Amino acid sequence: MSEVKPKLHRRAWQWFKRTGPWTVLGLFVAGIIFWGGFNTVMEATNQESFCISCHEMKNNVYEEYKETIHYNNRSGVRATCPDCHVPKDFVHKMIRKAQASKEVWGKLTGSIDTPEKFEANRLRLAQNEWARMKASDSRECRNCHNFEFMDTSVQGSRSALKHEEAQAAGQTCIDCHKGIAHRMPPVDQGIGSQNDGGAQIHTKKAE
């Protein structure tokens, strides 16, 4: 190991001399500019204003979300679109961005550009997102909610019981909270009778 480092240092110094200090400096500055621009674009696409820049999202799921406790509540803490749908760490964020490229294709082909088309695809779209959240152990939910931080003694008796059972069973948030921010298609969550018209929206009035 002691011989490897000097060799690497010599090679680096030789490359520096061959390339020239100004070229190296130029590459360094170009790298900073590229990385800064890349992050600027990433942050811009992580804003809620970007999420609802297409009418497919703004006129459908965003309007539903505005009637939920995640949008308006007694604590004044709002979870925006990217808080729930975009990972925080770089690797998972890049994977999610790559997956989201399919949404661009959907926009170009007009697959959900009318309310009727959106409703026809609601179950499929919801199932895709539920599966993603299930696979990540509800990672984005846990940015704000965590079993370890819950004081079930101050929760309602039913909520406390369900949270304790879920924790013991190794369940994750999305197993029970599929309809927390958007109207659900008819589906049985296994926590009550199935609502043939879809789950009711959890409104701020029901808080």
Side-chain angles (χ1 to χ4, degrees), residues 30-63:
I32 292 176
I33 293 173
F34 170 80
W35 188 249
F38 178 79
N39 276 293
T40 298
V41 172
M42 286 296 100
E43 285 305 310
T45 60
N46 287 342
Q47 301 302 310
E48 188 170 78
S49 57
F50 178 84
C51 299
I52 60 174
S53 59
C54 62
H55 77 88
E56 289 89 341
M57 294 295 102
K58 185 174 182 179
N59 297 339
N60 293 295
V61 290
Y62 183 68
E63 288 302 314

Side-chain angles (χ1 to χ4, degrees), residues 7 13 16 22 31 37 61-62 67 75 89 92 94 107 111 115 121 143 147 164 170 178 184:
K7 287 182 179 180
W13 178 245
F16 180 83
W22 290 110
V61 290
Y62 183 68
E67 295 299 319
S75 63
D89 65 284
H92 290 110
M94 292 301 100
K107 173 67 176 178
S111 61
N121 285 277
N143 288 330
F147 280 135
E164 290 171 356
K178 292 183 178 69
M184 285 207 310

Side-chain angles (χ1 to χ4, degrees), residues 10 24 26 29 37 46 54 60 69 78 80 88 93 96 104 108-110 112 133 139 179 207:
R10 283 197 298 271
V24 172
V29 172
N46 287 342
C54 62
N60 293 295
I69 199 170
R78 178 175 293 177
T80 64
K88 300 289 187 185
K93 182 187 294 184
R96 181 73 187 99
V104 177
L108 294 175
T109 57
I112 55 171
M133 298 180 80
R139 178 180 50 237
E207 184 187 2

Side-chain angles (χ1 to χ4, degrees), residues 6-156:
K7 287 182 179 180
L8 290 174
H9 292 161
R10 283 197 298 271
R11 290 176 182 175
W13 178 245
Q14 290 170 358
W15 174 83
F16 180 83
K17 288 193 297 184
R18 287 196 306 268
T19 305
W22 290 110
T23 302
V24 172
L25 179 61
L27 291 172
F28 180 73
V29 172
I32 292 176
I33 293 173
F34 170 80
W35 188 249
F38 178 79
N39 276 293
T40 298
V41 172
M42 286 296 100
E43 285 305 310
T45 60
N46 287 342
Q47 301 302 310
E48 188 170 78
S49 57
F50 178 84
C51 299
I52 60 174
S53 59
C54 62
H55 77 88
E56 289 89 341
M57 294 295 102
K58 185 174 182 179
N59 297 339
N60 293 295
V61 290
Y62 183 68
E63 288 302 314
E64 297 169 3
Y65 150 75
K66 285 168 64 178
E67 295 299 319
T68 71
I69 199 170
H70 276 114
Y71 183 84
N72 197 1
N73 54 71
R74 62 178 176 268
S75 63
V77 177
R78 178 175 293 177
T80 64
C81 305
D83 288 326
C84 298
H85 296 286
V86 181
K88 300 289 187 185
D89 65 284
F90 181 80
V91 174
H92 290 110
K93 182 187 294 184
M94 292 301 100
I95 293 173
R96 181 73 187 99
K97 294 292 184 182
Q99 293 171 339
S101 62
K102 292 186 294 185
E103 297 168 14
V104 177
W105 176 250
K107 173 67 176 178
L108 294 175
T109 57
S111 61
I112 55 171
D113 59 353
T114 67
E116 294 75 20
K117 288 181 182 179
F118 187 90
E119 285 303 321
N121 285 277
R122 181 184 285 272
L123 177 59
R124 176 182 62 82
L125 297 171
Q127 288 175 330
N128 288 343
E129 190 62 6
W130 297 340
R132 183 189 71 81
M133 298 180 80
K134 175 74 172 178
S136 70
D137 193 20
S138 300
R139 178 180 50 237
E140 281 65 67
C141 299
R142 294 178 188 279
N143 288 330
C144 296
H145 308 283
N146 195 307
F147 280 135
E148 295 180 5
F149 308 148
M150 286 183 182
D151 183 357
T152 55
S153 66
V154 298
Q155 295 179 350

Side-chain angles (χ1 to χ4, degrees), residues 144-188:
C144 296
H145 308 283
N146 195 307
F147 280 135
E148 295 180 5
F149 308 148
M150 286 183 182
D151 183 357
T152 55
S153 66
V154 298
Q155 295 179 350
S157 57
R158 184 171 183 270
S159 297
L161 176 62
K162 287 297 180 181
H163 283 144
E164 290 171 356
E165 290 177 348
Q167 187 173 13
Q171 289 183 302
T172 188
C173 309
I174 199 60
D175 287 322
C176 297
H177 294 287
K178 292 183 178 69
I180 197 66
H182 305 294
R183 185 172 65 80
M184 285 207 310
V187 62
D188 186 3

